[in-house]
Amino acid sequence: FTKQEGRNSYRFFSPEMQLHSVRQLHMENALRKALERNELRVFYQPQISLATGKVVGMEALIRWQHPEFGLVSPLEFIPLAEESGLILPIGVWVLQTAIHQLKSWQEQGQPPMIVAVNLSAVQLRQTYFPQIVQQCLKEANLPAKYLELELTESVAMSQPHKAIAMLDALHALGISIAIDDFGTGYSSMAYLTRFKINKLKIDQSFVRKIGNNSDAEAIIDTIIGMTKSLNLETIAEGVETKEHLDFLRERGCGEVQGYYFSKPKPAEEIQIWLENWSNNLEGRITKERERS
Ligand code: C2E
Ligand code: MG
Ligand code: MG
Ligand code: MG
């Protein structure tokens, strides 16, 4: 009997599958405590205007430093946080942290920038989400125009009618919206024009192929052309080389973000980076543009 039971219970689980689910279970439990134990961090990555060479924004990217698991990627723990509902308190914490950080950069006299915060589908499904965001802005006394929210096409398209209403409400507050990882999902053009959005973020999978894949280059061209005719802004993510940068500038992309400029870093390191950028590097972007 025991043998039988044993055989049955092992039948559907390979050793790796068990290991994986045990890790996930541990992680989910640990994630519950991560907020109160102060294990979550927000890193920032600069966004640069190609027209001026200036830093115009910072994307907030969450990090989890766990004593046992080490640095856990958001690609691994965000899905767990979504399943367990923990993404709601975590999402509010990221908003509060990023908004306060931008406020303190403004008070230090840093150049005018926005802060961009990634959103999960679960957050967008909350009826009171716009009020939550508004409350966070009010607490920090930050005008809504300095906040951008990033959501992916699939988040918007999964419940388009709800997304339209939600984006209308956020837009009415003065918050701007960017569609993240653009080009990888299935947006319908008809919906795209009905969503109150300000910016498309060209996915890094296309940017990475600049110089060796003409299809990817054609897609980038098409996205830039489309944003122009829809009066939206464009930002390319995952810009890693000068070749990427030159191509994007030549094709009229508005903004860039990627390791070529800076990896996501803690706020204190970003401050040092910002100083260095405005002293030495900012001019390089525009000079190159004038030459070309
Ligand atoms: P994303 O919003 O599309 O962010 C871009 C990802 O690309 C980030 O990974 C960033 O570190 C990475 N990256 C930036 N520049 C380069 C580059 O030049 N080359 C390469 N190879 N990668 C680059 P990260 O920080 O691991 O975040 C992964 C994803 O996790 C994000 O994708 C976003 O979807 C999600 N995420 C991060 N923070 C949050 C958050 O606070 N809330 C929610 N809901 N999701 C988040
Ligand atoms: Mg993003
Ligand atoms: Mg992205
Ligand atoms: Mg992504």
Side-chain angles (χ1 to χ4, degrees):
F1 177 75
T2 344
K3 240 182 181 173
Q4 178 85 46
E5 192 186 53
R7 214 182 288 142
N8 275 346
S9 54
Y10 278 97
R11 191 183 286 161
F12 302 108
F13 297 99
S14 68
E16 314 92 83
M17 278 170 83
Q18 265 205 346
L19 204 68
H20 185 60
S21 58
V22 167
R23 178 180 159 91
Q24 282 193 333
L25 206 68
H26 272 306
M27 229 178 228
E28 198 179 306
N29 283 327
L31 196 54
R32 269 176 221 290
K33 299 177 188 118
L35 257 180
E36 56 190 78
R37 290 187 180 164
N38 205 16
E39 292 167 357
L40 299 178
R41 299 280 177 275
V42 177
F43 280 21
Y44 298 88
Q45 189 180 36
Q47 303 179 322
I48 292 134
S49 157
L50 284 177
T52 63
K54 291 190 189 303
V55 179
V56 287
M58 289 284 173
E59 180 173 2
L61 293 154
I62 195 169
R63 297 289 178 263
W64 180 22
Q65 183 68 57
H66 185 265
E68 184 190 330
F69 303 121
L71 194 65
V72 189
S73 163
L75 295 174
E76 185 170 18
F77 76 82
I78 293 289
L80 290 180
E82 287 176 330
E83 280 165 35
S84 57
L86 287 167
I87 192 69
L88 297 179
I90 290 174
V92 171
W93 178 82
V94 173
L95 267 171
Q96 286 171 332
T97 307
I99 287 171
H100 273 102
Q101 186 58 61
L102 189 74
K103 184 70 187 182
S104 102
W105 278 329
Q106 288 187 345
E107 285 169 353
Q108 280 173 27
Q110 296 287 3
M113 308 184 280
I114 58 117
V115 69
V117 176
N118 292 283
L119 282 193
S120 147
V122 181
Q123 290 172 279
L124 216 65
R125 266 185 242 126
Q126 289 178 284
T127 317
Y128 294 107
F129 183 68
Q131 283 91 321
I132 293 171
V133 181
Q134 193 177 27
Q135 186 59 34
C136 292
L137 289 164
K138 203 175 141 202
E139 276 166 18
N141 193 23
L142 184 80
K145 67 173 180 181
Y146 294 111
L147 177 65
E148 185 161 273
L149 297 173
E150 295 191 2
L151 62 152
T152 62
E153 288 170 275
S154 51
V155 165
M157 291 306 299
S158 66
Q159 289 176 304
H161 292 280
K162 282 197 178 163
I164 288 170
M166 184 57 80
L167 297 187
D168 282 350
L170 292 167
H171 177 83
L173 292 175
I175 293 159
S176 55
I177 304 289
I179 301 291
D180 206 348
D181 304 347
F182 190 76
T184 60
Y186 297 92
S187 336
S188 120
M189 278 298 276
Y191 277 120
L192 205 56
T193 57
R194 287 170 62 193
F195 291 137
K196 293 264 178 24
I197 55 180
N198 305 75
K199 195 185 271 187
L200 299 181
K201 292 195 84 172
I202 302 173
D203 190 64
Q204 47 184 285
S205 60
F206 306 116
V207 175
R208 198 180 301 135
K209 291 180 188 142
I210 289 172
N212 50 44
N213 181 313
S214 55
D215 288 345
E217 292 179 352
I219 290 169
I220 293 174
D221 260 344
T222 307
I223 296 174
I224 293 172
M226 199 168 82
T227 57
K228 287 192 173 141
S229 42
L230 294 175
N231 247 325
L232 302 174
E233 294 168 55
T234 351
I235 181 164
E237 56 180 354
V239 178
E240 290 187 358
T241 67
K242 180 146 189 318
E243 190 183 10
H244 296 165
L245 173 62
D246 289 343
F247 176 91
L248 291 161
R249 182 194 292 113
E250 186 202 318
R251 302 305 165 100
C253 183
E255 294 171 14
V256 281
Q257 175 183 353
Y259 293 172
Y260 184 70
F261 306 98
S262 171
K263 288 199 169 180
K265 293 173 196 282
E268 316 79 64
E269 287 177 37
I270 280 293
Q271 268 160 235
I272 298 165
W273 183 94
L274 274 170
E275 225 164 277
N276 193 33
W277 180 261
S278 60
N279 291 338
N280 306 315
L281 300 165
E282 187 178 293
R284 213 172 68 182
I285 297 288
T286 38
K287 272 191 213 99
E288 277 169 13
R289 186 173 53 109
E290 280 153 17
R291 271 206 303 274
S292 62

